[in-house]
Amino acid sequence: MAKEIAVSGVQPSGDIHIGNYLGAIKQFVELQDKYKTFFFIVDLHALTESPDPKKLREQIINLAALYLACGLDPKKTTLFIQSHVPAHVELGWILNTITPLGELQRMTQFKDKAEKHGVLAGLLNYPTLMAADILIYNPDVVPVGEDQVQHLELTRALARKFNSQYGNTFREPKALLRKDVARVMGLDDPTKKMSKSAGPNNYIALTDEPDVIRKKIKTAVTDSGSEIKYDPQNKAGISNLLSIYSAFSGESIASLEKKYAGKNYGIFKSDLAELLVQKLSHIHEKYKSLLKNKKSLMKILDVGAKSASKVAEKTMEEVRKKIGLI
Ligand code: TRP
């Protein structure tokens, strides 16, 4: 039987932290063995946040290097830059023509971002391009975070609408939500999700140097008391550090509690810092060496774009025929 297809995109905006790693990248790396996978860097979506051009270019390349450093293997997965497969934009336009305005206006992410960046047409139409990114590969599943479920529902609705208007063309893909990792919270505010926009002391970037990691863990907010116990209600700080420890070491939280019974926060934190230094140093070294040779990095992305284009073009031929363009 042919492998099922998984598709997902990641926005190139700033530092990638351990929350992103545990919530998305690690899952992508696991999926590449089970599914036929298409993973792309959504540079066109990033434009809706008006980034500085030089910075954007750098972030696109850095993100590609980071994905490869984390273990995405170009032999197993199709990794590319969204704008290198222009068919996404063509299908995005076509989907716009069947999307009710009200559906786009009620998207939570649009409302949030419109407050920050102003009501740009690109922000409003963000979900139709995302729907195109997905539907063009006819996937079975789309690994995403909770915040993207609404966009995925719209994608499914657009697939249904297109199919009923023009004949069966698209599959309705399912969201693949990652449930096994507790949400990683901010180090300086463990009541909110870890976030790169909250400032560098809130997160550990995958590319942080060892001493930076040690310092950030040392200064991470902990709770009054001295017991190392998982209790997110009353001990948000220690609970967050415990789940990070567990996710990176593979040890269960219960066994970590046992291991650190009677020990103080300082020892626990210094062990956690060393664990992170050790796990991240491998990724960091590989990342730096990939960035030393940008030419071969771009080559990997070009090969990815070519192979994605083949699949996308096949879908577009069918779409163009169905809607009467050819
Ligand atoms: N909107 C997604 C996010 O912010 C990124 C994205 C763009 C995406 N196109 C996609 C995710 C297609 C999955 C599939 O995370």
Side-chain angles (χ1 to χ4, degrees), residues 158-171:
L158 291 177
R160 276 197 298 278
K161 187 161 181 194
F162 188 98
N163 290 347
S164 78
Q165 224 160 295
Y166 298 110
N168 204 18
T169 311
F170 296 119
R171 255 188 275 179

Side-chain angles (χ1 to χ4, degrees), residues 29 34 55 71 84 89 108 116 147 196 206 250 274 299:
V29 174
K34 269 204 267 160
K55 231 171 155 185
H84 293 187
V89 179
T108 310
K116 254 203 242 159
D147 62 335
K196 56 195 160 204
L206 295 189
E274 292 317 310
K299 180 97 197 339

Side-chain angles (χ1 to χ4, degrees), residues 8-9 40 42 45 126 130 133-134 142 144 148:
S8 197
F40 37 87
V42 294
H45 279 114
Y126 182 113
M130 177 166 162
D133 291 341
I134 297 170
V142 183
V144 281
Q148 297 300 310

Side-chain angles (χ1 to χ4, degrees), residues 39-54:
F39 295 130
F40 37 87
I41 295 164
V42 294
D43 55 345
L44 295 171
H45 279 114
L47 290 177
T48 59
E49 295 181 6
S50 319
D52 172 70
K54 256 214 193 102

